Amino acid sequence: MSNIATIQLEIEQLGREIFDLIDKDRRHPSLFGDIDFYGRLMEWSMRDPVFKTQMFRFVDVLPTLTSPDDVVKHMLEYLKDVKAPVSTLIRSALTVGRLIPAIPATLIRQNVLAMANLFISGHDGKSALPNLRQIWKEGARFTVDILGEAVVSEREADEFAARYSGLLDFLAEATRAWKLEGPLAASEPPFVNVSVKISALCARVQASDPETSIAAIMARMKPIAIRAKKLGAFINLDMEHFGLKELTLDLFKKLLSEPELQDYPHFGLVIQAYLRGSQMDTEKILDWARQHGRQFTIRLVKGAYWDFEKVVAAQKTWEIPVYLSKPETDANYERITRLLLENRNVVYPAFASHNVRSLAQAAICAQKLGLKPGDYEFQMLYGMAKPIRRALVKLGYRVREYCPVGELVPGMAYLVRRLLENTSNEGFLRAKFGANTPIPELLSDPASHLSNRRQGAPDNIASSGSQRLTAVNRPYQEPHFVNEAPTDFTFSSARTRMTQALEVLRAKLGQAYPLVIGGKQVTGSQQMVSINPAVPKQVIGHIALGTTLDVVNAVAAARTAFSHWSRTPVEERSGFLERLAGKLRASRYELAAWEVFEVGKTWSEADADVVEAIDFCVFYSQEMRRLGRGRLTQEVPGEVSIESYVARGVGAIIAPWNFPLAILCGMTMAALVTGNTVVIKPAEQSSVIGARFMTLLQEAGLPDGVANLVFGTGEAVGSLLVAHPDVDLIAFTGSREVGTSIWQMASVTHRDQRNLKKVICEMGGKNAMIIDTDADLDEAVLGIIHSAFDFQGQKCSALSRLITVRNVHKRLVPRLIEAVAALKIGLPEHPNTDVGPVIDQDAFEKIQRYIELGKREHYLACQAQLPSGLEGYFISPTIFTGVESTARLAQEEIFGPVLVVIPANDLDQAIDIANNTPFALTGGLYSRSPQNIARVRSTFLVGNLYVNRPITGAIVGRHPFGGFKMSGGGTKAGGVDYLLNCMFPRVVTENTVRRGFAPETETVW
Ligand SMILES: Cc1cc2nc3c(=O)[nH]c(=O)nc-3n(C[C@H](O)[C@H](O)[C@H](O)COP(=O)(O)OP(=O)(O)OC[C@H]3O[C@@H](n4cnc5c(N)ncnc54)[C@H](O)[C@@H]3O)c2cc1C
């Protein structure tokens, strides 16, 4: 028998022993049978996915519901349509609840609380003590973790740090007399053991600047660690989502390198085996330990954020960092198990799993390597696997239970994660305790599943060959558009490239930029300068100012080029867009760096703008291929009618500075791919980016004259273009004032004009977000901050009116204000900056005037002090409360970091307030009431409505963007209808009957 087969036999033998003990454990015949409500909930959830989703969502929102009416209302909304057999409790709740809500509300609360208490050991260390004592009495150990709300402010981070320190002190004192005896006692790690989530120690973890985030976390973590050392306690850094992985590993190494802590071995970190790179991470950290002569603990888990990682990666079109099939995770877990045990001289391994196969494999592997049960430990989650824990203790292993403490509201997220884990189709616990899977299957070698699968054995495991979800398992659609992935600044390579790009550009600032007309550079007699709004004395470029003659020449050049470009085959025009996308991609760091300097965008905002420009190129090229094929209007014998499109003529592209590349590129590409030629006028403030864009058009091979570039002000060059009789199409994005005047000017027809001018006009908004009483405030606070203050609120989609329903105001606004205070205001070139300058002096003064008005008429709730030394047009994020919905601040577009909070008595009033402006661009809602979400969906009239997420950041193809009323003409940039605005539709009808014979339609079309 081979070595592998022998080991497998031994694993099976140990596994069976564990299962025997579990089955004999009278106290827990079934993991899901402890409490009637919980047991049934699990049972139905496993049977009915709809019930599972609805019930878990209800459990999630329950603690925030303050009145019995609210509880019953939500229960009805979530559960009335589920088909699962309903328990007496829920059935009575649904009927009685309508009459006497207090009865079912109390009942359901008690049951959910009892369920939460299965997994949460107490609301703090003190109340958890009886449970910890019980664990100890049963021969196991514990580690305590604190559950809490998402940390969004410095005060909350300080509070968390204090709670961790307090917990250490409390546990050290309260457990002083607890002793462990038996064979393992000699090698016992510290008895007091606390698990820390680093995200709780930092108000804002900034992906593009981990060093600053690490410094902020260290400032709170180090005193905790020193306290732990003094008390002889153990500290573990838990591992959270993938975006924090590198930061956590770096922080861990930094912490252990602190002089005061260098000789202390009782720290631990976590490796998540579901991550594809986890084996490499383990090898690296082991190397580091050897090189630095350090010893510590590694807790090996599979990973708790599997679904989340997939969702994030799919939304961002990033590589999925986790394995996509369960046996791959399991097999990797076993590989890393071995690696840790082989390196027992530098690490103390803790195998955290409830999977008997994984546990047995670790124990047998350790035994083969000559290690004893005291050389490592097993860990389980409180309430998840008591019978397994007891079985392992009985067999002489060291077992530690992970015991979260916390209040019910923050505990709900944890509870729902546990419920999901227990009911997961692929999870061990469900397989064993829910589905009664046969033991040989439960103990089978995961590696054997993989090899079977590779040989084509049928199973239901998803392929992990491709790691991009967007392209996986989709029915073929033509054309399949995939968004460009934004840069993930958590990777140090990306940060280095951005830093280098900024450095390279610094040497290129202040150059001269000519006009481009008919492919030739034209250096005007007059110039303007483009400056850095963060450092106004820094000149970004000297820009040639276009004259009337230049405008006339540019339109003439575009007209000349139109005759061949409009006849250029669609395939070639689409091909050009794809080449341009390639150029943009190749220059993405450089272009983002220009945006940082010229318009004051932070790194991620600048990167997002470049990504969007690439998306426009690819999306419109594909759309044009589709439209270019024409459309058979109807199938009738003997006649073929084809609808197709022709270009309008010459387009004027009048672009804004706030998305200096994306909108400029999107409007230009739409015009070009449809066969028009263009004269481009970038905004004065972002002229250098406009010039860089023009160079890329030329480098991508655009024939001379097809696109022409004229710089200048809107009043001069913009107006000339709009009024020019030879301009057929105007694509404008900007303010309402300019947009409406363009609309008017374009309606005037000249004697020698060819076409009625088509105006694509996208203007601003006075965008509102409604926060319902049951909203998830952890999410809402972050969503509000992103929506209102990213790029200093200078997005047409930005949030400027926050409408709070009833009592949510009291809970939300103080947290929001503290979170805003944690934003870093500074130079956008610094990676840790959240808030940069506004675009120019005019904008600065206009916004300041509104702020002064606000101070006179409303209550200034928040405006942080600006850091000293900033010379640019910086304005602190500002919030006014107590604002009437009709006040000027609540009606006029400010285009800066100013947010007004308007209270509403109920949802109806909130919707009325939201709709009561001349604009209809974006809007948002945070709510967990399905009924309220449905109501707002149908009655909040805006072009783009976002539910339970920020209201900015529309993605090409996914969120076609644009509004109506005074926000625009109803066009949707990045949507399938957009290109139609740039073309005239034509229908050609041919009679195909000859001598009474009509061919099949397919043969002629
Ligand atoms: C004491 C303790 C501490 C923990 N600390 C952390 C921590 O700091 N960070 C953290 O992230 N998790 C942590 N966990 C959570 C842990 O990751 C989950 O409980 C664990 O993943 C469940 O794994 P299992 O081995 O018990 O069960 P199993 O049922 O064998 O495995 C389930 C796991 O497999 C993975 N998986 C499921 N489906 C697939 C699929 N289709 N393809 C690939 N992989 C899949 C997921 O990771 C899932 O959680 C901890 C767990 C314990 C017991």
Side-chain angles (χ1 to χ4, degrees):
M1 191 180 278
S2 74
N3 198 20
I4 295 178
T6 319
I7 291 174
Q8 174 59 20
L9 270 184
E10 290 179 40
I11 293 171
E12 279 177 23
Q13 208 171 348
L14 176 58
R16 280 177 195 282
E17 258 183 85
I18 298 171
F19 281 128
D20 279 350
L21 288 168
I22 292 169
D23 292 340
K24 281 187 201 134
D25 188 339
R26 298 273 152 121
R27 282 165 293 187
H28 293 280
S30 154
L31 190 75
F32 303 131
D34 266 19
I35 288 188
D36 183 49
F37 177 79
Y38 169 61
R40 290 190 193 187
L41 186 89
M42 293 290 102
E43 213 177 298
W44 299 333
S45 300
M46 288 188 275
R47 272 197 233 149
D48 181 347
V50 178
F51 173 80
K52 176 171 153 177
T53 308
Q54 295 299 85
M55 189 64 200
F56 289 4
R57 286 180 170 204
F58 172 65
V59 168
D60 171 56
V61 71
L62 181 66
T64 55
L65 306 177
T66 46
S67 72
D69 283 341
D70 257 359
V71 173
V72 171
K73 173 179 175 293
H74 280 76
M75 199 153 62
L76 284 166
E77 288 177 23
Y78 277 106
L79 299 173
K80 71 176 175 359
D81 292 332
V82 295
K83 296 203 171 51
V86 179
S87 78
T88 324
L89 168 68
I90 292 176
R91 206 172 29 236
S92 65
L94 293 177
T95 41
V96 180
R98 291 173 216 253
L99 305 170
I100 319 162
I103 298 173
T106 310
L107 265 176
I108 193 86
R109 255 190 221 287
Q110 279 172 352
N111 277 283
V112 171
L113 192 66
M115 191 166 68
N117 285 334
L118 288 177
F119 302 102
I120 301 171
S121 57
H123 53 85
D124 57 11
K126 194 167 169 205
S127 63
L129 205 60
N131 286 323
L132 302 182
R133 183 178 286 114
Q134 184 61 29
I135 291 168
W136 163 64
K137 282 197 168 158
E138 290 182 20
R141 290 87 178 144
F142 58 80
T143 177
V144 183
D145 150 74
I146 301 177
L147 301 173
E149 290 175 326
V151 165
V152 295
S153 70
E154 300 297 339
R155 182 190 57 80
E156 288 173 354
D158 285 340
E159 264 179 26
F160 247 108
R163 285 171 71 193
Y164 279 124
S165 289
L167 182 66
L168 276 171
D169 286 343
F170 172 78
L171 291 175
E173 183 56 37
T175 64
R176 197 183 296 280
W178 300 7
K179 293 280 171 295
L180 283 161
E181 281 153 16
L184 302 179
S187 59
E188 195 62 32
F191 192 67
V192 173
N193 186 316
V194 169
S195 290
V196 175
K197 290 208 168 40
I198 63 159
S199 64
L201 300 178
C202 186
R204 271 176 83 76
V205 177
Q206 180 68 274
S208 49
D209 184 27
E211 286 79 17
T212 304
S213 303
I214 287 177
I217 299 167
M218 273 296 281
R220 296 187 176 100
M221 188 64 229
K222 194 175 149 187
I224 298 172
I226 290 174
R227 186 86 199 123
K229 181 181 169 187
K230 198 158 175 207
L231 297 169
F234 182 96
I235 294 283
N236 194 78
L237 298 192
D238 283 0
M239 192 60 87
E240 300 173 65
H241 60 88
F242 180 65
L244 288 179
K245 186 200 75 177
E246 285 301 317
L247 192 145
T248 309
L249 292 174
D250 289 349
L251 177 86
F252 184 75
K253 288 187 269 185
K254 204 165 168 23
L255 187 70
L256 266 62
S257 306
E258 288 293 321
E260 298 97 315
L261 301 169
Q262 270 181 7
D263 57 345
Y264 195 64
H266 301 304
F267 292 113
L269 86 162
V270 175
I271 292 286
Q272 294 159 316
Y274 66 8
L275 290 181
R276 303 183 137 241
S278 50
Q279 184 168 347
M280 204 168 70
D281 286 336
T282 314
E283 281 162 4
K284 280 194 199 158
I285 194 82
L286 289 171
D287 280 349
W288 184 88
R290 270 189 292 272
Q291 273 166 22
H292 294 80
R294 302 305 317 268
Q295 290 206 329
F296 47 82
T297 293
I298 291 186
R299 177 199 294 160
L300 181 62
V301 304
K302 286 176 193 161
Y305 306 84
W306 187 76
D307 293 279
F308 175 79
E309 300 299 358
K310 276 196 329 172
V311 168
V312 170
Q315 289 193 354
K316 304 226 175 198
T317 28
W318 283 341
E319 288 288 319
I320 301 168
V322 292
Y323 288 110
L324 292 180
S325 83
K326 173 77 164 52
E328 281 179 294
T329 296
D330 289 344
N332 194 41
Y333 191 93
E334 296 195 0
R335 279 194 298 274
I336 301 176
T337 294
R338 185 173 188 91
L339 187 61
L340 295 180
L341 291 168
E342 283 168 350
N343 286 278
R344 177 61 187 88
N345 56 337
V346 277
V347 282
Y348 172 72
F351 301 106
S353 172
H354 313 116
N355 184 325
V356 174
R357 157 77 205 189
S358 307
L359 299 168
Q361 186 267 346
I364 296 298
C365 183
Q367 189 189 318
K368 296 278 162 207
L369 291 166
L371 298 171
K372 300 188 186 56
D375 293 332
Y376 57 96
E377 68 180 44
F378 293 121
Q379 297 191 351
M380 327 247 143
L381 298 178
Y382 178 80
M384 290 284 279
K386 261 188 213 163
I388 306 178
R389 188 246 283 166
R390 290 202 180 111
L392 288 172
V393 169
K394 208 167 245 176
L395 289 170
Y397 294 105
R398 181 181 292 139
V399 187
R400 186 176 308 280
E401 210 156 61
Y402 182 101
C403 302
V405 295
E407 298 296 338
L408 194 54
V409 174
M412 270 312 123
Y414 179 81
L415 172 64
V416 170
R417 271 217 301 279
R418 296 289 74 87
L419 296 179
L420 284 169
E421 203 164 301
N422 279 352
T423 52
S424 152
N425 276 339
E426 302 201 63
F428 175 85
L429 291 177
R430 175 181 177 159
K432 161 69 185 145
F433 298 99
N436 287 325
T437 307
I439 284 180
E441 211 175 301
L442 293 173
L443 293 176
S444 62
D445 180 358
S448 70
H449 285 264
L450 295 177
S451 49
N452 285 346
R453 199 163 52 95
R454 285 201 193 101
Q455 288 154 24
D459 68 19
N460 58 359
I461 298 156
S463 160
S464 62
S466 168
Q467 284 288 307
R468 274 183 206 269
L469 258 206
T470 44
V472 173
N473 292 341
R474 281 266 181 84
Y476 179 68
Q477 286 170 326
E478 192 208 8
H480 179 60
F481 171 68
V482 179
N483 292 98
E484 188 72 14
T487 300
D488 184 353
F489 285 112
T490 57
F491 291 116
S492 61
S493 55
R495 297 196 297 275
T496 306
R497 289 186 71 182
M498 189 65 191
T499 309
Q500 285 167 349
L502 287 162
E503 276 321 301
V504 170
L505 277 205
R506 213 181 285 283
K508 292 187 183 169
L509 299 182
Q511 293 178 357
Y513 295 91
L515 318 178
V516 180
I517 298 173
K520 301 211 168 41
Q521 297 194 347
V522 178
T523 316
S525 53
Q526 284 188 32
Q527 292 204 325
M528 61 179 177
V529 287
S530 173
I531 54 136
N532 180 347
V535 189
K537 62 177 187 270
Q538 186 175 53
V539 173
I540 304 300
H542 295 273
I543 315 295
L545 263 183
T547 61
T548 307
L549 183 63
D550 292 325
V551 173
V552 170
N553 288 342
V555 174
R559 174 60 58 195
T560 308
F562 179 73
S563 60
H564 69 88
W565 182 251
S566 58
R567 288 195 210 106
T568 302
V570 165
E571 187 50 41
E572 266 181 53
R573 296 200 304 253
S574 285
F576 163 75
L577 265 65
E578 282 159 355
R579 282 201 302 285
L580 181 68
K583 296 263 166 210
L584 291 166
R585 222 172 264 130
S587 315
R588 62 184 293 170
Y589 287 96
E590 181 223 322
L591 292 165
W594 278 120
E595 299 207 15
V596 170
F597 281 123
E598 196 175 27
V599 296
K601 288 213 178 218
T602 55
W603 286 22
S604 54
E605 289 289 320
D607 176 71
D609 195 51
V610 181
V611 163
E612 194 179 347
I614 298 170
D615 277 350
F616 276 128
C617 294
V618 178
F619 183 74
Y620 287 152
S621 74
Q622 291 186 352
E623 277 304 297
M624 191 58 216
R625 285 199 178 97
R626 179 177 66 82
L627 292 170
R629 285 202 298 269
R631 184 178 73 88
L632 181 70
T633 57
Q634 264 188 3
E635 214 158 318
V636 284
E639 188 179 279
V640 174
S641 283
I642 308 293
E643 184 173 29
S644 62
Y645 303 93
V646 292
R648 285 178 172 267
V650 173
I653 309 295
I654 304 177
W657 48 262
N658 62 341
F659 292 93
L661 191 64
I663 295 185
L664 174 73
C665 179
M667 295 196 302
T668 307
M669 287 310 109
L672 292 185
V673 81
T674 46
N676 303 280
T677 53
V678 295
V679 179
I680 299 168
K681 191 205 89 62
E684 302 93 283
Q685 298 89 336
S686 57
S687 296
V688 174
I689 295 163
R692 193 65 196 97
F693 175 63
M694 186 69 209
T695 312
L696 289 173
L697 291 181
Q698 292 178 309
E699 286 175 8
L702 192 68
D704 291 347
V706 174
N708 305 274
L709 176 72
V710 181
F711 297 115
T713 62
E715 299 81 31
V717 171
S719 304
L720 283 169
L721 278 171
V722 172
H724 197 298
D726 227 5
V727 165
D728 308 280
L729 168 73
I730 297 148
F732 167 80
T733 302
S735 69
R736 171 186 177 178
E737 192 191 345
V738 180
T740 47
S741 81
I742 288 178
W743 198 272
Q744 206 174 11
M745 243 192 289
S747 68
V748 178
T749 48
H750 304 267
R751 205 159 35 86
D752 46 355
Q753 191 170 317
R754 282 188 184 78
N755 288 312
L756 296 175
K757 290 175 198 271
K758 170 79 183 182
V759 182
I760 304 171
C761 187
E762 302 191 34
M763 301 180 289
K766 189 69 190 171
N767 309 306
M769 183 188 276
I770 299 172
I771 310 294
D772 203 356
T773 49
D774 62 356
D776 180 337
L777 296 190
D778 282 355
E779 300 263 332
V781 167
L782 294 176
I784 294 165
I785 287 183
H786 279 302
S787 307
F789 303 123
D790 278 357
F791 192 39
Q792 298 72 262
Q794 301 173 112
K795 301 182 182 182
C796 43
S797 54
L799 169 66
S800 60
R801 296 180 300 147
L802 184 67
I803 304 170
T804 52
V805 180
R806 283 202 328 250
N807 56 0
V808 79
H809 188 96
K810 270 197 276 174
R811 287 180 287 128
L812 170 76
V813 176
R815 274 194 93 190
L816 176 64
I817 290 169
E818 286 182 350
V820 171
L823 296 175
K824 299 259 178 322
I825 305 171
L827 296 181
E829 64 201 76
H830 293 163
N832 66 337
T833 294
D834 297 305
V835 180
V838 298
I839 190 69
D840 60 17
Q841 181 78 32
D842 284 353
F844 179 82
E845 286 172 8
K846 181 180 163 200
I847 299 164
Q848 288 293 13
R849 280 197 296 278
Y850 274 110
I851 290 175
E852 290 311 314
L853 175 71
K855 284 180 184 166
R856 286 197 301 278
E857 297 192 351
H858 312 290
Y859 177 70
L860 176 67
C862 154
Q863 192 183 43
Q865 202 53 22
L866 283 177
S868 59
L870 293 176
E871 299 160 13
Y873 308 118
F874 288 89
I875 295 180
S876 240
T878 305
I879 301 179
F880 290 103
T881 51
V883 179
E884 289 283 315
S885 65
T886 50
R888 278 186 62 199
L889 249 65
Q891 286 293 319
E892 296 174 18
E893 200 186 1
I894 301 175
F895 224 61
V898 180
L899 178 68
V900 300
V901 185
I902 308 169
N905 294 328
D906 53 31
L907 189 66
D908 287 330
Q909 192 187 21
I911 297 167
D912 284 346
I913 295 170
N915 281 328
N916 182 27
T917 72
F919 301 99
L921 188 52
T922 63
L925 166 73
Y926 276 88
S927 174
R928 284 182 284 185
S929 154
Q931 204 176 65
N932 291 2
I933 293 174
R935 191 134 53 100
V936 171
R937 268 173 184 266
S938 61
T939 53
F940 188 172
L941 292 181
V942 284
N944 289 73
L945 179 66
Y946 298 94
V947 180
N948 290 328
R949 52 148 286 163
I951 65 171
T952 55
I955 290 176
V956 171
R958 199 179 302 169
H959 316 121
F961 182 78
F964 45 94
K965 284 165 77 177
M966 284 304 121
S967 293
T971 44
K972 284 288 191 193
V976 288
D977 304 329
Y978 191 79
L979 295 186
L980 300 180
N981 295 298
C982 304
M983 299 184 285
F984 292 119
R986 292 172 71 227
V987 176
V988 176
T989 303
E990 183 184 348
N991 171 10
T992 55
V993 182
R994 299 270 198 287
R995 307 270 171 225
F997 165 70
E1000 293 290 331
T1001 309
E1002 304 91 73
T1003 62
V1004 283
W1005 156 247

